[in-house]
Amino acid sequence: DTAVSQTPKYLVTQMGNDKSIKCEQNLGHDTMYWYKQDSKKFLKIMFSYNNKELIINETVPNRFSPKSPDKAHLNLHINSLELGDSAVYFCASSEISGGAEETQYFGPGTRLLVL
Amino acid sequence: AQSVTQPDIHITVSEGASLELRCNYSYGATPYLFWYVQSPGQGLQLLLKYFSGDTLVQGIKGFEAEFKRSQSSFNLRKPSVHWSDAAEYFCAVGDLPNTGFQKLVFGTGTRLLVSP
């Protein structure tokens, strides 16, 4: 019973392509997040959504567009992929709407390699 | 701005020895502090968190951490390390920006290697 799942697990693609990563959580949480982990393992938030509404957008390029069709899903679409987009992308979710003490539950990650 | 520093990039510990991973934070208000672990090829899992009360926090897998406000630290400890503890460990502070929703700010991580 995977709590936060992501597909695909691996993604290898050429520069300039458009790709999507899907995330689903079956925890009944209200808030979902996308993080980017670079080659040095540095983890940085990109977006967060609460009940399908965008809450946080951390100055991510417009080529990245999150979409939340319902509160259990948060997908990430990336246009015109660049070499620097190569990273591991993590989806996460948390239960309560608001509160700095909340626990976030992470998916297994999607390893994106742009050639 | 809030920030988290993990001064040790790598640490090697013998199996059965004790462990301490350092974490320092910079945050204006009462910090909400977390330790997450990332096993190879896996997502992050919460080990423990502090947001109020007793400054010594117990977590899963035998880990504990102590919040020291005077030192702006939240170091992670384990009395006896097992080979399965080899992983990347991330300290984080939970910020509550004007959106009212949590934003986690992570340190750069410490890779723990366990030698036989």
Side-chain angles (χ1 to χ4, degrees):
Chain A
D1 293 346
T2 305
V4 182
S5 59
Q6 297 179 227
T7 53
K9 192 168 184 177
Y10 299 96
L11 189 51
V12 181
T13 188
Q14 299 287 330
M15 268 198 319
N17 284 351
D18 304 337
K19 290 294 179 185
S20 291
I21 306 171
K22 295 186 176 181
C23 177
E24 176 181 4
Q25 53 95 3
N26 62 7
L27 298 168
H29 289 171
D30 289 334
T31 307
M32 296 183 72
Y33 310 80
W34 277 111
Y35 288 86
K36 179 180 180 181
Q37 186 177 47
D38 64 23
S39 59
K40 295 185 178 179
K41 299 281 189 175
F42 183 61
L43 200 64
K44 191 173 190 304
I45 189 167
M46 300 173 69
F47 301 102
S48 76
Y49 269 73
N50 177 259
N51 279 321
K52 303 193 296 175
E53 183 180 341
L54 178 67
I55 300 299
I56 293 175
N57 180 340
E58 283 289 299
T59 59
V60 177
N62 291 339
R63 300 183 294 104
F64 290 80
S65 52
K67 284 187 173 52
S68 182
D70 55 62
K71 75 173 191 177
H73 295 85
L74 180 62
N75 303 324
L76 184 65
H77 188 76
I78 315 171
N79 289 326
S80 304
L81 278 155
E82 300 177 357
L83 294 177
D85 298 331
S86 296
V88 182
Y89 292 84
F90 287 99
C91 178
S93 71
S94 63
E95 180 178 6
I96 308 167
S97 300
E101 74 278 11
E102 294 176 32
T103 296
Q104 293 189 20
Y105 296 82
F106 284 77
T110 295
R111 285 145 187 82
L112 171 65
L113 177 60
V114 182
L115 302 175
Chain B
Q2 64 280 3
S3 65
V4 177
T5 302
Q6 293 180 248
D8 303 307
I9 298 175
H10 298 104
I11 281 186
T12 300
V13 174
S14 298
E15 190 168 16
S18 64
L19 168 70
E20 183 169 26
L21 302 182
R22 296 183 291 165
C23 172
N24 292 97
Y25 66 90
S26 172
Y27 191 72
T30 300
Y32 298 87
L33 297 161
F34 303 78
W35 275 100
Y36 281 85
V37 61
Q38 183 181 19
S39 298
Q42 303 296 315
L44 280 74
Q45 181 184 22
L46 180 73
L47 285 175
L48 48 80
K49 63 182 179 182
Y50 169 81
F51 53 94
S52 66
D54 193 345
T55 56
L56 185 61
V57 181
Q58 302 298 320
I60 63 170
K61 304 185 181 186
F63 286 92
E64 66 178 26
E66 186 170 13
F67 169 60
K68 293 185 177 179
R69 185 185 296 274
S70 61
Q71 298 176 18
S72 298
S73 69
F74 188 55
N75 294 349
L76 181 71
R77 301 194 294 248
K78 186 169 184 178
S80 177
V81 167
H82 187 261
W83 64 265
S84 61
D85 293 325
E88 192 89 24
Y89 290 80
F90 292 93
C91 183
V93 62
D95 190 18
L96 204 60
N98 53 11
T99 62
F101 289 87
Q102 184 197 59
K103 173 183 160 184
L104 280 181
V105 176
F106 284 89
T108 49
T110 297
R111 174 166 290 182
L112 174 63
L113 304 172
V114 180
S115 60

